[in-house]
């Protein structure tokens, strides 16, 4: 992790109370890592931290996927500890991914204070969850490394109670970019019953998509 990233994580840990979110949108897009604490505001269901892409890692991933050498995997890692060696086939991917994963795991662990994190890397050529839906969980972190990224609806764009009633082709009100850190609040988060981020997987239209998902685990 770079010195800049370490400073950001330290600032996140030392951040006081959550910042205020715009009224009624349910979505916050932020440019500073410390501002991801907005996800704890009751009305916020989606929080997106914009980051520039890691171009070298993207190029290495694209090469390995084209050669059918990269597959997805699932692991449980300890928050606050270095990420262990992962089944990545290429040295360029392993080096870049280890630093990136370490950063995301540390941020997520600091944010939620969980002892363990479920880590899932998906390599996809089709939409995993193409219909609008809410997750039945707490808070999930998504980060797309390659390909089209997660889409969401803000509260004003969703006039129905149940996302299943929305047409599959309803246009999104927002979408992430590669390497954006996306936090999605689910219906199991305290005080969030019956709510949650309405989102879906994009149609990659035959292009490769590489997606990382983190979930907090408690004993």
């Amino acid at each position: 992790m770079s010195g800049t990233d370490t400073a950001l994580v330290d600032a996140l840990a030392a951040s006081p109370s959550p910042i205020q979110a715009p009224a009624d949108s349910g979505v916050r897009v932020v440019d500073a890592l410390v501002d991801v604490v907005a996800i704890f505001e009751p009305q916020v269901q989606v929080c997106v931290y914009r980051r520039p892409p890691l171009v070298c890692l993207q190029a290495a991933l694209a090469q390995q996927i084209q050669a059918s050498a990269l597959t997805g995997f699932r692991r449980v890692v300890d928050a606050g500890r270095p990420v262990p060696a992962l089944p990545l086939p290429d040295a360029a991917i392993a080096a870049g991914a280890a630093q990136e994963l370490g950063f995301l795991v540390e941020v997520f662990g600091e944010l939620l204070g969980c002892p363990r994190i479920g880590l899932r890397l998906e390599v996809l050529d089709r939409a995993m969850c193409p219909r609008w839906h809410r997750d039945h969980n707490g808070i999930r972190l998504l980060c797309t490394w390659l390909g089209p990224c997660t889409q969401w609806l803000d509260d004003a764009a969703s006039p129905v109670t149940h996302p299943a009633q929305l047409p599959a082709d309803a246009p999104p009100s927002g979408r992430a970019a590669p390497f954006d850190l996306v936090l999605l609040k689910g219906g199991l988060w305290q005080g969030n019953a019956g709510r949650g981020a309405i989102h879906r997987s994009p149609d990659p239209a035959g292009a490769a998509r590489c997606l990382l998902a983190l979930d907090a685990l408690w004993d």
Side-chain angles (χ1 to χ4, degrees):
M1 184 179 301
S2 70
T4 301
D5 287 344
T6 302
L8 288 171
V9 172
D10 290 344
L12 174 62
S15 179
S17 58
I19 58 177
Q20 294 298 312
D24 301 327
S25 72
V27 178
R28 286 297 304 269
V29 178
V30 302
D31 296 315
L33 180 58
V34 294
D35 291 341
V36 298
V37 294
I39 194 63
F40 296 133
E41 288 289 330
Q43 67 269 39
V44 175
Q45 305 296 316
V46 180
C47 184
V48 182
Y49 168 48
R50 297 293 192 192
R51 299 194 299 153
L54 299 177
V55 179
C56 291
L57 178 56
Q58 282 186 312
L61 287 167
Q63 278 189 335
Q64 292 299 305
I65 291 174
Q66 187 173 16
S68 300
L70 182 66
T71 58
F73 57 83
R74 299 181 181 219
R75 292 288 187 277
V76 174
V77 299
D78 293 325
R81 291 191 174 185
V83 175
L86 298 171
L88 297 167
D90 179 81
I93 293 179
Q99 184 173 6
E100 166 75 355
L101 283 171
F103 170 65
L104 294 175
V105 165
E106 186 171 359
V107 167
F108 196 56
E110 288 281 0
L111 183 70
L112 293 184
C114 54
R116 294 176 299 137
I117 294 170
L119 182 155
R120 171 167 48 93
L121 184 71
E122 301 280 0
V123 179
L124 307 161
D125 60 2
R126 60 183 60 87
M128 184 169 56
C129 302
R131 296 195 65 86
W132 294 111
H133 67 284
R134 292 186 176 103
D135 288 334
H136 193 61
N137 60 3
I139 291 175
R140 173 171 289 160
L141 183 153
L142 296 180
C143 183
T144 302
W145 286 350
L146 186 68
C149 305
T150 303
Q151 302 173 351
W152 61 82
L153 289 176
D154 62 30
D155 288 351
S158 177
V160 300
T161 303
H162 301 292
Q165 298 172 4
L166 292 165
D169 59 352
S173 53
R175 69 188 74 210
F179 287 89
D180 283 352
L181 189 160
V182 181
L183 294 167
L184 302 174
K185 189 182 290 178
L188 290 184
W189 187 254
Q190 182 177 3
N192 210 46
R195 299 194 67 200
I198 299 177
H199 63 289
R200 70 181 177 192
S201 301
D203 180 3
R209 184 174 186 235
C210 188
L211 170 72
L212 179 74
L214 299 183
D215 287 288
L217 302 175
W218 283 272
D219 295 331

